[in-house]
Amino acid sequence: MSGGDEYDDLLRFAHAEAAKLNHGDDDLGKDKSGYYRPWFAPWVKLKGKNNMDLQVPADWLRTEIYTGLSSGPEIERRRAVAGYNELESPDKKQVLKFISRFRGPVLYVMELAVCLGAGQRNWIEFGVIIGLPFLKAMITWYQEKRANNVVAQLKSRIAMRATVVRDGYEQELEARYLVPGDILVLEGGSTIPADAKIIADYADKCGSPVSMDLSECGRGTSNFSTACGIDKGPTVCTVDRSAITGESLAVDHSVGDTVYYTCGVQRGKVYAMVTASAPYSFVGKTARLQVVPSGNDVGHYQVVLNSIGTALHGLVIAVILIVWIGAFSRNVDIAIQDSSLLVYALIFLIAGVPVGLPYIIIKTMAVGAAYLAKRKVIAQKLTAIESLAGVDILCSDKTGTLTANRLSLDKPFVAPGVHPDWLMAVAILASSHNTRSLDPVDKVTIVGLKDYPGAQAVLRTGWHTRKFTPSDPVLKCVMAEVDKDGRNFTCAKGSPDAILRLDSFDQDTVAAYLAKADEFAQCGFSPLGVACKEEGEPWKLLGMLCMVDPPRDDTAATIREAMNFGVSVKMLTSDAVATAIQTCQQLGLGTHVYDSERLITSAMPGSEVRDFIEGADGFAEVFPDHKYQVVEMLQERSHLMAITGSRVNDAPSLKKADCGIAVKDASDATRMAADVVVLEEGLSTMITAIKVARQILHRMKAYIIYRIALCIHLEAYLCTSMLILNETIRVDLIVFIAILADVAAVAIAYDNAPYDRRPVDWQLPKVWILSTVMGLLLAAGTWVIRSTLPLNVSTIQEAGSVQEILFLEVVLTESWIILITRMARSPNSGPFVWPSWQLIGAILGVDVLASIFVIFGWLSVDPAIQGGFDIVAVAKIWCYSFGVVVIIGLAYYFLNKVRWLDNVGRRNRSHRDPRVEDLRTEMQRLTSVHKRQFL
């Protein structure tokens, strides 16, 4: 079946599903533009349900190839019908986003508490309980919106752009402004901005400038002409369609074929006409029907939050059952307002379920993403922050990341009988003519022409380029067919080995050529072979250009810093092994650099291959599939991988890695595949991003430990006090305690957090151990002050009731605990940093507010003390609470010094299973052998 048949079948399926969904009266509420607002959600503007497919008028698809559309009313008219060329983003529906804050295991329990409060007719508690989630949701939504605006502003700088023919000339604009009928210029490295049909090769432009009527171009199927027995003409471009079809190999396309939105052009340069904008494209229709999953990735942090919420729910249920069993022995009623089983259940639901946990965690990540954006690092999804924090191996490109990306030409090697001016002229002829997006190698070649006036004179003698074949990541060779005065030449430029594969050259010349290539490589230079042939004549080896790209000044220091943080840097380069070794020596990476082809395709057992990859400092002569294999094999050893990329061929390896990083000036396809986009050159920005990500995860873990400890504190104390004394803290005080606990910690997102010196893991067993110990110590501290009150050991009770005393002690000790959990916890943590003024201010504000409530008796129901509370007693409670926190801090400090506890829950970063690894490698080799035999 051809690609077009598959496309048509999917479209028929889409229309069938749309018909099922659209059964009924769908015109209600629909406006003239095809949108409608549902009665149950008037704030949402949706596409018309029957408008799954936009029937583009035939006259829209008749655009003159050279002039394109004219700016003005016509484009606006088309946009009014077809909409902007972008898929609708769920971030625009802020009301729905706010409502989604009330979903999740933790929120469901709080909603149950609201129902219990209403059933008990405790209207004050009911109002506070129902207002608490709204307040936290509003604050978190607003803060996250502000943070997302910062990221969005920076993302606009890397928005997908398209080259379009309008008003008679080519211009570049954002892809969202395209309309059906626009003439696109698609070339290697670009992302296809809309469904389009190829109408001409850029080199020949279909001959004369006539209007293109796409209704006469056939079905426009993808190029399976050989399999279908249809001759559609020569291939004009190659497209990577893995984003929508999963195909591992790029597909060749001819004139008349359709190319699809979000796919990447690998080779070639063509004219194409937009036939469907993004909402009506193949990808857009499929996404609306949910044939493919949405882009909302579920991060590990969400799994962690769900597991914590589930565990706390189980603990709350267990405690409620224990208290109910004890209350039955005292004949406690079920529904008396002040003291009943339902009141006890309400108290534990409020005290034992941290309603602010998901809010503050999401806010912390959003604020961290905004901070990363200010450092010119865009996290395209929040899960990327979590991945960055755990990365332990970074595979980096060489040019522009480890080196300064300031290529220059050194003295070339010229074959015997060849003039240097002719060598340089051929190198220029074998360069791209697209001056707006020149390859770095072409750029340095053209810039170097200024030192060769003779070559400039040669190029002025009337050369014409008939065909240009850009660099191929596998062949690593650029070719151009040129003519002059009726003589046809083919010029080639590429890696030394690729040039030698063109023909059999003179052995003496080849020997000198290879010797010079080794000499250049030993000096850290990048050699570039040059050859040409005249029609009817054999290839002639002209010589070799020598390119120099010095390392960046800060790269060596950055690599040392990365190693100190537990991140191993491996260089992946297409240069020769000798060049890669020399560069690694200059950067302090080590000299364990291997030829990727010989290593990965060798006959070594799979476990030994993976051992080599783990111990390597870099790989040379790397192809895109080699990058993918390196990432895959290291992930099989339980490493968390980050890899950089810039070209469209790097997209598969970036998708495969735990954190794909698109470097500055990366192609659109690479940016779409990446989790993180870096807007500055150099390795230092990436290492800074890793440190910041670790700080963000530290804040999240600090709050989680703090919040679990608080839940265990209240559950342990209240459960034992109900069983022993048949006493509890009033519901209204429990509500205020829960509110103040999260208010004190809400500023954790802005805290000056330390960063670990090794990759960060969640370590949930350690989190639970620390939280449980701290919670039990807090409960013990509350029991000490409660048990001493009847003995007249303290004079605190002389000035107030037990309820207010316990309330103030609980608020003070719990608010100060966040100052303990935020500190560096393990021997591998970074240096101590003082808390931020935001966190200190929030804690002091909560403590002062709680003290004022007690001093003025605003929370008291005892008429004897409603007029006020002794300030001396409040000071004593402050001193006692401080002593409790000091004891807990010492326990926390010594617990973190235990090596066993520090390693609990950490990922085994180099897990070996030789039998499985050997079997997997042999199966891959067997598959490769059969594939070659089949081809």
Side-chain angles (χ1 to χ4, degrees), residues 394 396 401-402 552 555 558-559 569 681-687:
L394 171 61
S396 173
T401 304
L402 302 179
R552 297 178 63 90
T555 301
T558 302
I559 290 175
V569 180
E681 292 183 342
L683 188 67
S684 59
T685 303
M686 302 174 196
I687 301 304

Side-chain angles (χ1 to χ4, degrees), residues 499-730:
I499 295 299
L500 290 181
R501 288 195 295 266
L502 295 176
D503 206 341
S504 298
F505 300 104
D506 179 71
Q507 293 301 314
D508 293 336
T509 303
V510 170
Y513 176 87
L514 292 176
K516 200 63 178 180
D518 291 338
E519 180 183 339
F520 284 159
Q522 293 293 338
C523 297
F525 301 156
S526 299
L528 189 70
V530 181
C532 75
K533 62 170 291 190
E534 187 173 1
E535 189 175 14
E537 299 291 334
W539 281 94
K540 185 176 181 180
L541 185 62
L542 302 182
M544 186 187 311
L545 298 178
C546 174
M547 295 182 297
V548 182
D549 187 11
R552 297 178 63 90
D553 297 334
D554 60 343
T555 301
T558 302
I559 290 175
R560 290 194 298 269
E561 185 181 20
M563 292 178 178
N564 292 334
F565 293 145
V567 178
S568 174
V569 180
K570 300 182 186 297
M571 183 177 71
L572 303 181
T573 178
S574 59
D575 287 339
V577 174
T579 304
I581 291 176
Q582 181 65 25
T583 304
C584 286
Q585 286 178 337
Q586 295 174 350
L587 298 175
L589 271 177
T591 57
H592 300 291
V593 179
Y594 305 104
D595 183 334
S596 56
E597 179 69 23
R598 295 173 184 172
L599 174 63
I600 296 176
T601 60
S602 65
M604 290 188 300
S607 58
E608 293 185 13
V609 172
R610 288 160 177 80
D611 289 338
F612 267 108
I613 293 177
E614 276 190 308
D617 298 308
F619 295 93
E621 301 182 18
V622 171
F623 296 162
D625 57 332
H626 294 157
K627 286 187 177 183
Y628 188 93
Q629 289 175 323
V630 167
V631 170
E632 184 178 41
M633 290 183 179
L634 289 174
Q635 284 179 329
E636 291 170 359
R637 288 282 177 96
S638 298
H639 293 286
L640 279 179
M641 294 291 303
I643 187 170
T644 66
S646 60
R647 300 182 179 180
V648 65
N649 308 91
D650 295 329
S653 55
L654 264 63
K655 289 181 180 179
K656 178 64 177 175
D658 299 284
C659 185
I661 303 174
V663 300
K664 184 180 179 181
D665 299 328
S667 65
D668 289 335
T670 306
R671 286 173 173 172
M672 292 181 64
D675 303 300
V676 174
V677 178
V678 179
L679 300 182
E680 286 187 350
E681 292 183 342
L683 188 67
S684 59
T685 303
M686 302 174 196
I687 301 304
T688 299
I690 291 176
K691 291 194 297 185
V692 172
R694 292 183 183 181
Q695 289 176 312
I696 295 170
L697 206 64
H698 177 91
R699 297 185 187 106
M700 295 166 62
K701 292 175 68 175
Y703 175 75
I704 289 174
I705 294 174
Y706 159 82
R707 206 59 187 85
I708 295 176
L710 267 53
C711 293
I712 294 176
H713 168 208
L714 287 178
E715 290 179 15
Y717 173 75
L718 294 175
C719 177
T720 52
S721 67
M722 289 176 183
L723 294 177
I724 297 173
L725 303 177
N726 193 24
E727 175 187 281
T728 184
I729 300 177
R730 297 199 316 267

Side-chain angles (χ1 to χ4, degrees), residues 342-364:
L342 291 182
V343 170
Y344 290 166
L346 177 61
I347 289 173
F348 281 112
L349 289 176
I350 298 172
V353 179
V355 65
L357 181 62
Y359 297 133
I360 296 181
I361 291 299
I362 294 174
K363 176 185 176 181
T364 301

Side-chain angles (χ1 to χ4, degrees), residues 58-68 181 183 199-200 205-217 273:
D59 61 320
W60 285 18
L61 302 181
R62 295 188 180 97
T63 307
E64 192 169 287
I65 188 172
Y66 286 167
T67 60
I183 302 296
I199 57 177
K205 304 181 182 177
C206 281
S208 59
V210 296
S211 299
M212 289 298 300
D213 186 354
L214 294 190
S215 62
E216 300 173 0
C217 291
M273 181 180 292

Side-chain angles (χ1 to χ4, degrees), residues 743-933:
V743 170
V746 71
I748 191 68
Y750 304 96
D751 189 29
N752 302 322
Y755 47 81
D756 285 354
R757 294 191 179 276
R758 62 174 170 174
V760 178
D761 295 304
W762 278 104
Q763 293 184 270
L764 280 184
K766 180 181 178 181
V767 168
W768 277 103
I769 291 173
L770 292 175
S771 301
T772 302
V773 172
M774 296 177 71
L776 294 178
L777 289 176
L778 283 169
T782 305
W783 258 112
V784 168
I785 195 173
R786 176 65 187 89
S787 60
T788 58
L789 293 178
L791 301 178
N792 294 323
V793 177
S794 171
T795 60
I796 295 177
Q797 193 181 9
E798 297 175 2
S801 69
V802 173
Q803 292 286 323
E804 283 73 22
I805 294 171
L806 294 180
F807 166 77
L808 184 57
E809 189 273 342
V810 169
V811 170
L812 292 177
T813 52
E814 288 191 348
S815 66
W816 293 341
I817 289 299
I818 191 66
L819 296 176
I820 297 175
T821 61
R822 66 162 297 277
M823 293 189 301
R825 297 187 296 271
S826 67
N828 294 290
S829 295
F832 172 79
V833 291
W834 291 99
S836 65
W837 66 267
Q838 293 97 329
L839 184 61
I840 294 295
I843 293 174
L844 288 178
V846 165
D847 296 342
V848 171
L849 183 63
S851 300
I852 291 174
F853 284 165
V854 172
I855 290 174
F856 291 99
W858 292 345
L859 300 178
S860 177
V861 296
D862 186 354
I865 61 172
Q866 284 183 349
F869 204 88
D870 189 356
I871 194 170
V872 176
V874 171
K876 291 180 180 180
I877 297 174
W878 272 68
C879 294
Y880 174 79
S881 301
F882 180 76
V884 172
V885 172
V886 169
I887 294 174
I888 295 175
L890 291 174
Y892 185 83
Y893 174 80
F894 287 112
L895 280 174
N896 279 283
K897 292 299 181 182
V898 179
R899 284 283 180 181
W900 168 82
L901 185 60
D902 185 51
N903 292 317
V904 167
R906 284 196 179 273
R907 174 194 293 259
N908 183 2
R909 298 278 175 167
S910 186
H911 176 70
R912 300 178 75 254
D913 191 344
R915 293 171 56 187
V916 174
E917 292 173 350
D918 293 347
L919 177 60
R920 183 182 290 115
T921 301
E922 289 303 319
M923 293 298 295
Q924 289 174 346
R925 288 171 181 162
L926 184 62
T927 302
S928 299
V929 170
H930 282 286
K931 182 178 179 180
R932 286 195 297 268
Q933 291 176 349

Side-chain angles (χ1 to χ4, degrees), residues 314-366:
L315 183 61
V316 167
I317 293 173
V319 171
I320 290 175
L321 291 176
I322 292 173
V323 170
W324 278 9
I325 291 172
F328 283 141
S329 64
R330 293 191 175 94
N331 297 319
V332 177
D333 291 326
I334 295 178
I336 295 178
Q337 185 169 349
D338 295 331
S339 179
S340 66
L341 299 182
L342 291 182
V343 170
Y344 290 166
L346 177 61
I347 289 173
F348 281 112
L349 289 176
I350 298 172
V353 179
V355 65
L357 181 62
Y359 297 133
I360 296 181
I361 291 299
I362 294 174
K363 176 185 176 181
T364 301
M365 297 190 75

